[in-house]
Amino acid sequence: MKKILIADDEPDILEFLKYNLVKEGFEVSTANNGVEALKVAYSAHPDLILLDVMMPEMDGIETCRKIRETAALKNTFIIFLSARAEDYTQIAGLESGADDYIVKPVKLRVLISKIKAFFRRAEEQEGNKIFIKELIIDKDKYTVAKNKKELHFPKKEFELLFMLASKPNKLFTRDEIYNKIWGNEIIVGDRTIDVHIRKIRDKLGDDLIKTIKGVGYKFDNHE
Amino acid sequence: MKKILIADDEPDILEFLKYNLVKEGFEVSTANNGVEALKVAYSAHPDLILLDVMMPEMDGIETCRKIRETAALKNTFIIFLSARAEDYTQIAGLESGADDYIVKPVKLRVLISKIKAFFRRAEEQEGNKIFIKELIIDKDKYTVAKNKKELHFPKKEFELLFMLASKPNKLFTRDEIYNKIWGNEIIVGDRTIDVHIRKIRDKLGDDLIKTIKGVGYKFDNHE
DNA sequence: AAAAAATATCAAAAAATTATGAAAAAAGAA
DNA sequence: TTCTTTTTTCATAATTTTTTGATATTTTTT
């Protein structure tokens, strides 16, 4: 669940944004000025900060600069949300380290879409991992770990396991497997899948992959 | 040097943006419509695409969707740049996979600041120095030190090592490596990567880089 | 229970892929 | 140019992965 910090000196705006972002499923904290925003940022480590430019105590640009000096917050997105539309303010905001500068007024739905675009990009880096039973299958690292111990899986075995594990308990017919792993051009004998399945079972144990005779295989995930 | 693709059906805008972005030090290619944009994107692998929404042949949103389906372009930033300001168009644009939606007219300096903000964020992930195991890899100086002892690495070897070491344990496919180190224009034989890998291994030892047969290589960082 | 059908298993063969050394080609420097 | 370094290619060896084929076992059908 992503955490958002909103810093604005107008209570109405704060309340409105908080209400709507919570409704979207975000965890929201608020601050009324720059100093407070910094304090909350240090302790709550939000994933994204919506920052007003004009605030008492410390303005948004200065706040942004300070946040960027903090190593622990370097992955935090900062978006300015301000009524001030002059070029130089926008440029100053972006150059102080913000990721975006949005001029108010902005439609709520548009703002939410922009926020989601940032998170989508961030999540992309995190990679394709499947956590299932005592396994961690990591497609980016091309590893399968069982109880923290990494095992080596050659290409075909990895692809087959990944396919089955990506939809636990779903039955994959032999045809589906052939099509996905080998494609339409390559034709291999009937025993090829079996042998690969056996090799996976050798490494991970016999219980994980279940045979449905006459049909196919499935990754069994009933505790 | 970052590559930017601009897609717009108005030649004046295209020319204006190209001129100014080149002046900023970017490598700029252009396209007059969506279909053309796709073609250029596939071959040139830009780091960022400025996309108009209304274009003949294929509109921007459809273009964006198609780009996002391409694995090789998943790290490419997409920014819509459009005169259409309605909420739903902006939302549709962002939901089609774009990173930002900027409503025209926009001041050139502001646009450039936003573009730089994206690149800053992307580069931040990389960093110019890597400390890993007994190695210090310094991109500014183009040197690799093993146990404080500096070793000489020619360009290609260095880039390859840097790429692998920048994301320890991540698997890089041969295609990814070719794209990043050689680019799409240059075509080299199948054994070229192997030879470079061997040279790196000669200098640093055989254990650092691990081969995943049929897939690629990775920098191994387990102790 | 027997026959039929499908999968499991093993070792060996085949195929695919990478490692390696040396040399040619290309790029840079003097 | 000439020399040096870097990059790429090529042929062959070494290795790993994938597939096959024979036989055993299990499940389903009759």
Side-chain angles (χ1 to χ4, degrees):
Chain A
M1 197 204 229
K2 296 290 183 182
K3 288 183 283 186
I4 298 179
L5 163 61
I6 315 171
D8 201 304
D9 59 337
E10 282 199 56
D12 291 350
I13 291 181
L14 226 48
E15 207 41 57
F16 171 76
L17 287 175
K18 178 171 183 171
Y19 172 81
N20 283 289
L21 291 176
V22 166
K23 211 167 69 180
E24 281 295 322
F26 298 111
E27 193 181 318
V28 178
S29 48
T30 58
N32 296 299
N33 59 60
V35 175
E36 206 177 312
L38 268 183
K39 216 179 326 177
V40 178
Y42 292 150
S43 65
H45 283 252
D47 300 289
L48 184 145
I49 302 175
L50 290 175
L51 213 50
D52 190 18
V53 171
M54 289 179 298
M55 289 187 293
E57 301 279 347
M58 186 193 289
D59 72 44
I61 291 179
E62 185 56 27
T63 308
C64 177
R65 215 170 269 133
K66 287 246 194 288
I67 291 168
R68 280 289 169 259
E69 286 168 8
T70 310
L73 296 174
K74 83 173 202 305
N75 290 319
T76 300
F77 291 113
I78 299 178
I79 300 179
F80 278 110
L81 200 59
S82 166
R84 301 196 57 168
E86 324 85 46
D87 311 350
Y88 58 87
T89 309
Q90 293 195 46
I91 292 167
L94 290 164
E95 287 186 348
S96 72
D99 294 286
D100 202 359
Y101 189 111
I102 299 175
V103 176
K104 286 191 278 195
V106 60
K107 283 283 170 47
L108 179 69
R109 304 300 321 165
V110 173
L111 175 65
I112 289 172
S113 285
K114 289 206 177 195
I115 290 172
K116 286 184 175 169
F118 277 108
F119 286 145
R120 185 178 55 211
R121 170 76 54 191
E123 269 163 24
E124 204 168 86
Q125 314 284 346
E126 285 164 23
N128 308 307
K129 286 205 189 87
I130 298 176
F131 296 84
I132 190 165
K133 294 219 173 162
E134 67 272 18
L135 298 185
I136 302 172
I137 306 172
D138 187 327
K139 199 164 198 182
D140 294 322
K141 297 203 291 184
Y142 222 80
T143 56
V144 178
K146 181 177 183 178
N147 298 322
K148 309 261 177 187
K149 199 172 153 51
E150 279 193 4
L151 302 164
H152 175 65
F153 274 68
K155 193 176 174 201
K156 284 277 188 293
E157 280 171 51
F158 186 89
E159 285 178 356
L160 180 50
L161 174 64
F162 193 88
M163 179 184 188
L164 296 174
S166 63
K167 295 195 176 174
N169 299 320
K170 177 189 182 311
L171 172 79
F172 290 88
T173 67
R174 284 173 164 262
D175 277 351
E176 275 180 280
I177 295 173
Y178 279 125
N179 268 304
K180 177 95 173 180
I181 311 281
W182 280 269
N184 285 321
E185 288 104 64
I186 295 127
I187 294 166
V188 290
D190 273 350
R191 299 276 61 73
T192 305
I193 287 183
D194 314 26
V195 174
H196 284 293
I197 292 282
R198 179 176 59 74
K199 290 189 174 169
I200 295 173
R201 284 174 173 158
D202 281 349
K203 288 171 186 158
L204 302 179
D206 285 353
D207 311 330
L208 282 179
I209 296 172
K210 201 172 169 187
T211 305
I212 312 294
K213 235 174 180 176
V215 195
Y217 297 91
K218 68 173 171 178
F219 190 101
D220 204 41
N221 190 28
H222 294 119
E223 59 268 43
Chain B
M1 198 203 227
K2 297 290 183 183
K3 288 184 282 186
I4 297 179
L5 163 62
I6 315 172
D8 201 305
D9 59 337
E10 283 198 55
D12 291 350
I13 291 181
L14 225 49
E15 208 40 58
F16 171 77
L17 287 175
K18 178 170 183 171
Y19 173 79
N20 284 288
L21 290 175
V22 166
K23 212 167 68 181
E24 282 295 321
F26 298 111
E27 194 181 316
V28 178
S29 49
T30 58
N32 296 298
N33 58 60
V35 176
E36 208 175 291
L38 268 182
K39 215 181 321 179
V40 178
Y42 291 152
S43 67
H45 283 251
D47 300 290
L48 184 145
I49 301 175
L50 290 175
L51 212 49
D52 190 18
V53 171
M54 289 178 297
M55 288 187 293
E57 302 278 347
M58 186 192 288
D59 73 44
I61 291 178
E62 186 57 25
T63 308
C64 176
R65 216 171 268 134
K66 288 246 194 289
I67 291 168
R68 280 287 168 260
E69 285 169 8
T70 310
L73 296 172
K74 80 174 201 305
N75 290 316
T76 300
F77 292 112
I78 299 177
I79 300 179
F80 277 111
L81 200 59
S82 168
R84 302 195 57 169
E86 324 85 45
D87 310 351
Y88 60 87
T89 309
Q90 293 196 46
I91 292 167
L94 291 164
E95 288 187 348
S96 72
D99 294 288
D100 203 359
Y101 189 110
I102 299 176
V103 175
K104 287 192 276 194
V106 59
K107 284 282 171 52
L108 179 70
R109 303 303 320 165
V110 173
L111 175 64
I112 289 172
S113 285
K114 288 206 178 194
I115 290 172
K116 286 185 175 169
F118 276 109
F119 287 145
R120 184 178 57 213
R121 164 80 49 194
E123 269 164 22
E124 190 175 280
Q125 317 284 348
E126 288 181 14
N128 283 8
K129 268 192 194 148
I130 298 173
F131 299 83
I132 190 166
K133 292 214 171 164
E134 66 273 15
L135 299 183
I136 300 171
I137 307 171
D138 188 331
K139 195 163 198 178
D140 296 324
K141 297 198 298 183
Y142 251 73
T143 58
V144 178
K146 181 176 184 179
N147 298 322
K148 311 259 178 188
K149 199 173 150 52
E150 274 201 5
L151 301 165
H152 173 64
F153 272 70
K155 189 164 176 245
K156 283 278 185 295
E157 279 171 53
F158 183 89
E159 286 177 352
L160 179 50
L161 174 63
F162 192 87
M163 179 182 188
L164 297 174
S166 66
K167 292 193 179 177
N169 298 319
K170 179 193 181 306
L171 173 94
F172 290 87
T173 66
R174 283 171 167 265
D175 278 351
E176 277 180 281
I177 295 172
Y178 278 125
N179 269 309
K180 178 96 173 180
I181 312 282
W182 281 269
N184 293 64
E185 285 103 66
I186 297 127
I187 294 166
V188 289
D190 273 350
R191 300 274 62 74
T192 305
I193 288 182
D194 314 26
V195 175
H196 284 290
I197 291 280
R198 180 174 58 75
K199 291 189 174 169
I200 296 172
R201 283 174 174 159
D202 281 349
K203 289 172 186 157
L204 302 178
D206 283 354
D207 308 332
L208 279 181
I209 297 172
K210 199 173 165 189
T211 306
I212 311 292
K213 254 190 167 167
V215 194
Y217 295 92
K218 64 173 160 178
F219 189 102
D220 202 45
N221 190 29
H222 294 115
E223 31 262 64

